Amino acid sequence: MLATPGVTTVWSGPRWLPRLDQTGTLCQSDCAWFSRRVGVGEPAGISTRSWELLGEQMTELGIGAGNLDLMSDLVGSSAARYAEDHTSPFDGPVAAVAAWTQGNARWPGMMSGLLEARLLEALIVVGGARRVLEIGTFTGVGALTMAAALPPDGRVMTVEVEADRAATARRHFDASPYGSRIELIVGDALETIAGLEGSFDLVYIDAWKTDYPAYYDAVLPKLAKRGVLVADNLFLGGAVLGASAEDGTVGIREFARRVQQDEQMHNVLLTIGDGVMLAWRHPAGAR
């Protein structure tokens, strides 16, 4: 995040937003949070072209821009930074891949954030998970984080539809001592899930937002009895809190509704990153 002397932060947004340099020019996206900074006493402005580029980026990701002020009210930038400052940083091979992603990926904010990654690690360690399914690989940060937390005989199956992204992730897996614990599948997630056998102790969804309801329907029968489902981007930069009718926003809202109303499940929506939903089977079998 850009630090400029003599300025103040007036709001912040979720981690896929672009940032501006000291001249107000749009530059590479932040990996975590973007704060619009202005000189003390100056108007809090952002160029029209910056908003246009932001819209193009979020459209490509299948989401709406949302109400960014609501997101600031929901999870303040100071609290988010404090949380990251008190979370174990990426280390080893995962840190190397995270750094490569931020410096080279077109949309580095699509990488699993630090808070989300450590949450996934904790769930694996505490739950004793051995078999993990990830929908949406990107550059491999999430898969590597989870693979490192697994026992030597544990496995992560990760599905990526984009061949170029999959090739990048495969290079990162091959260079990691945990790469042998990861099976990368290139193809459509729904078609792939239908053909998978067995059950999974942890399922992590971070892919095309429009398809979240379909992902839920597809993975639920394959979730282990004591398994946990984790889904990222449940706030969509605040879009779900407003009236946006973008396909991705509608998909996330429907996903959240299905989880909330599923009598066989318990769930919690965490206000970390861009919103992380955890869901697991009701201990008593039904509400």
Side-chain angles (χ1 to χ4, degrees):
M1 190 177 297
L2 193 66
T4 307
V7 299
T8 182
T9 300
V10 293
W11 60 259
S12 67
R15 55 191 170 87
W16 57 69
L17 297 185
R19 58 185 170 89
L20 306 179
D21 66 17
Q22 297 182 25
T23 67
T25 303
L26 192 71
C27 50
Q28 189 177 52
S29 303
D30 266 8
C31 179
W33 284 75
F34 162 74
S35 293
R36 189 175 71 196
R37 299 168 181 268
V38 296
V40 176
E42 296 177 2
I46 183 170
S47 72
T48 300
R49 183 52 183 155
S50 295
W51 282 115
E52 290 174 353
L53 290 172
L54 170 59
E56 291 171 7
Q57 177 178 356
M58 300 188 91
T59 297
E60 180 171 333
L61 297 179
I63 60 180
N67 188 326
L68 302 178
D69 290 326
L70 280 176
M71 277 301 296
S72 285
D73 292 341
L74 188 61
V75 183
S77 60
S78 295
R81 285 194 296 272
Y82 187 84
E84 292 207 0
D85 288 344
H86 293 82
T87 299
S88 301
F90 287 130
D91 54 10
V94 178
V97 175
W100 183 95
T101 302
Q102 186 163 7
N104 296 277
R106 184 180 183 190
W107 304 125
M110 291 173 63
M111 173 181 69
S112 296
L114 175 63
L115 303 183
E116 294 95 322
R118 289 305 184 201
L119 174 62
L120 292 169
E121 176 186 349
L123 291 171
I124 289 173
V125 172
V126 173
R130 291 180 176 273
R131 202 159 185 256
V132 174
L133 173 62
E134 178 186 52
I135 304 173
T137 311
F138 194 45
T139 60
V141 170
L144 284 170
T145 298
M146 293 186 286
L150 289 171
D153 63 343
R155 293 293 180 271
V156 175
M157 287 188 177
T158 182
V159 185
E160 175 57 58
V161 69
E162 296 288 344
D164 290 344
R165 290 177 185 169
T168 297
R170 194 180 303 278
R171 289 197 301 271
H172 294 153
F173 298 159
D174 290 344
S176 168
Y178 309 115
S180 60
R181 302 177 187 176
I182 302 173
E183 179 181 350
L184 173 60
I185 303 171
V186 183
D188 178 82
L190 293 173
E191 294 178 1
T192 300
I193 294 168
L196 296 178
E197 296 182 358
S199 60
F200 295 91
D201 305 306
L202 179 69
V203 176
Y204 179 42
I205 302 174
D206 186 12
W208 192 244
K209 311 312 170 189
T210 306
D211 287 342
Y212 267 42
Y215 297 149
Y216 182 67
D217 292 342
V219 302
L220 198 56
K222 299 180 183 295
L223 187 66
K225 183 177 180 180
R226 299 184 65 84
V228 178
L229 183 151
V230 183
D232 200 5
N233 301 124
L234 263 290
F235 293 145
L236 280 184
V240 297
L241 306 179
S244 171
E246 294 282 346
D247 289 347
T249 309
V250 172
I252 290 294
R253 286 201 195 102
E254 174 61 16
F255 170 85
R257 186 195 67 80
R258 290 194 192 186
V259 175
Q260 181 68 20
Q261 296 185 1
D262 191 335
E263 294 185 351
Q264 302 302 313
M265 305 295 286
H266 268 177
N267 58 286
V268 59
L269 177 53
L270 304 178
T271 55
I272 66 171
D274 189 32
V276 178
M277 176 75 85
L278 273 61
W280 59 95
R281 299 189 190 283
H282 191 301
R287 292 183 182 176

